[in-house]
């Protein structure tokens, strides 16, 4: 009887094990899904755009924009330059007069447009009256001379700021700019952009009235 029970137990144990064939059939769909996922991932990887490694650019330090604030309201900063005729021009030589100190270049359109106005205003003043100094910044004398001749400008005092030292001294960061200096030698007004004869007459009246 003991042998029979043992055999029955063994038979029952074998009958509870899943069939290998059944396991294969059950795993086939799972393996198919895995294979499909791998193929889809491979296709997406093949179609994906290539990634280019871009190096981080070096930091850029922008130049500081000079401010005219320390100049306006302060005594003039004297300078000594040569004009187109090789004569020395010192700002201090115009002490006691209203001075329109202009900075310009031939490549600046507003600068060229205002030159006739500067010349017209200067021509209207007495010999010891308000003075106009049109300081050219960092351009060769021959270039400036030829340019003025082509524009018919011949009666302006044109100091040549060859190294832009005077422009730096006055904090010039855009042109044209005209600094209006009163008879006491103080910088009163900065006019940025093109200036007209009417503007200059208005500034002259303002500084003379204050004086």
């Amino acid at each position: 009887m003991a042998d029979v029970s043992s055999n029955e137990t063994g038979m029952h144990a074998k009958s509870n094990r899943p069939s290998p064939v059944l396991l294969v059939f059950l795993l086939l769909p799972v393996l198919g899904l895995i294979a499909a996922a791998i193929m889809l991932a491979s296709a997406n990887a093949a179609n994906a755009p290539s990634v280019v490694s871009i190096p981080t650019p070096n930091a850029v330090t922008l130049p500081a924009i000079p401010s005219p604030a320390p100049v306006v309201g302060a005594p003039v900063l004297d300078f000594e330059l040569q004009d187109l005729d090789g004569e020395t021009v010192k700002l201090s030589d115009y002490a006691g007069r209203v001075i329109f100190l202009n900075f310009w270049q031939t490549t600046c359109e507003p600068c060229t447009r205002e030159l006739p106005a500067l010349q017209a205003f200067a021509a209207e003043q007495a010999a010891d009256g308000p003075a106009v100094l049109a300081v050219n910044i960092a351009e060769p004398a021959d270039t400036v001379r030829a340019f003025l001749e082509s524009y018919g400008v011949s009666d302006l005092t044109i100091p040549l700021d060859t190294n832009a030292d005077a422009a730096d001294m006055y904090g010039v960061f855009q042109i044209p700019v005209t600094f209006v200096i009163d008879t006491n030698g103080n910088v009163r007004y900065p006019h940025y952009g093109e200036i007209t004869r009417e503007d200059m007459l208005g500034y002259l009246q303002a500084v003379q009235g204050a004086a």
Side-chain angles (χ1 to χ4, degrees), residues 17-131:
R17 293 177 182 174
S19 171
V21 176
L22 180 61
L23 288 175
V24 170
F25 278 105
L26 290 175
L27 290 174
L28 281 177
V30 177
L31 293 174
L33 291 175
I34 294 173
I38 293 173
M39 292 176 64
L40 181 60
S42 299
N44 290 336
N47 295 328
S50 59
V51 178
V52 179
S53 178
I54 301 175
T56 302
N58 294 329
V60 177
T61 302
L62 296 177
I65 298 178
S67 170
V71 175
V72 176
V76 295
L77 302 172
D78 198 14
F79 57 74
E80 182 175 320
L81 303 172
Q82 302 295 311
D83 65 13
L84 287 172
D85 298 322
E87 300 294 329
T88 299
V89 178
K90 293 181 65 176
L91 191 60
S92 56
D93 289 341
Y94 297 86
R97 301 165 63 178
V98 175
I99 305 169
F100 289 84
L101 179 60
N102 175 268
F103 289 90
W104 70 287
Q105 286 182 319
T106 63
T107 55
C108 159
E109 287 188 16
C111 298
T112 61
R113 288 198 304 264
E114 72 180 3
L115 285 174
L118 295 174
Q119 179 171 255
F121 177 84
E124 296 171 353
Q125 310 309 315
D128 59 348

Side-chain angles (χ1 to χ4, degrees), residues 148-165:
L148 294 175
E149 289 176 357
S150 68
Y151 269 76
V153 177
S154 58
D155 297 328
L156 272 178
T157 301
I158 311 288
L160 300 174
D161 190 12
T162 307
N163 299 316
D165 291 336

Side-chain angles (χ1 to χ4, degrees), residues 141-152:
D142 291 342
T143 299
V144 178
R145 188 179 293 106
F147 179 84
L148 294 175
E149 289 176 357
S150 68
Y151 269 76

